[in-house]
Amino acid sequence: MKYEQAILLAEGIITEDSLNRLQEIHRKNGYAIVSACRNEFSKNENEYRTNQLKEIIQNSPFSFKKVLGGFIETKKDGTKQEVKEASFIIYNYDKNGNVVEKDKLFKFALQICKKFNQDSILYSEKGDKPRYYTKQ
């Protein structure tokens, strides 16, 4: 398996097939993917910010998993660079497995986006395809 085809979780590796199964399960009630990392910060600063974000999510009603996210960034000179960063999938379930009120997860994810000065979040509403949303 290629590194690019896997998302690394704290408990192990999810393959593309198992990720698709997870997405189907969680697409039913929605999820958000967020990060606290910024490319202009050092590794230590991003680790600190990631730990802050983890604490915020742990104190929320939502269940979550830490993952290694990635995207292609276009630099000012037009070149493209692959970026990998610590991220979190936040599920629209509480820690007891109950579905959370519809807009709570979306609002929570946007608060994170603003707090950590992120460009966007990936959010999937109940039964819908995931979409990127900016902090506005």
Side-chain angles (χ1 to χ4, degrees), residues 56-73:
I56 289 168
I57 300 170
Q58 283 175 324
N59 290 322
S60 80
F62 301 102
S63 61
F64 69 97
K65 288 278 185 201
K66 184 177 179 184
V67 296
L68 181 63
F71 60 93
I72 304 297
E73 181 174 72

Side-chain angles (χ1 to χ4, degrees), residues 29 62 92 99-111 121 123 125-126:
N29 290 300
F62 301 102
N92 199 34
V99 177
V100 178
E101 202 174 298
K102 180 183 172 184
D103 290 335
K104 279 190 172 183
L105 176 59
F106 183 69
K107 290 176 183 176
F108 180 65
L110 283 180
Q111 287 173 349
I121 59 164
Y123 175 75
E125 191 169 293
K126 180 179 179 176

Side-chain angles (χ1 to χ4, degrees), residues 42-67:
S42 69
K43 180 180 176 182
N44 287 342
E45 179 66 17
N46 279 326
E47 285 175 7
Y48 175 76
R49 291 166 58 93
T50 297
N51 288 332
Q52 283 183 309
L53 176 54
K54 183 177 180 181
E55 188 174 321
I56 289 168
I57 300 170
Q58 283 175 324
N59 290 322
S60 80
F62 301 102
S63 61
F64 69 97
K65 288 278 185 201
K66 184 177 179 184
V67 296

Side-chain angles (χ1 to χ4, degrees), residues 79-95:
T79 60
K80 297 184 185 274
Q81 174 186 357
E82 185 177 20
V83 177
K84 296 200 184 293
E85 62 186 16
S87 301
F88 295 90
I89 299 177
I90 307 172
Y91 303 111
N92 199 34
Y93 295 93
D94 66 18
K95 292 173 177 104

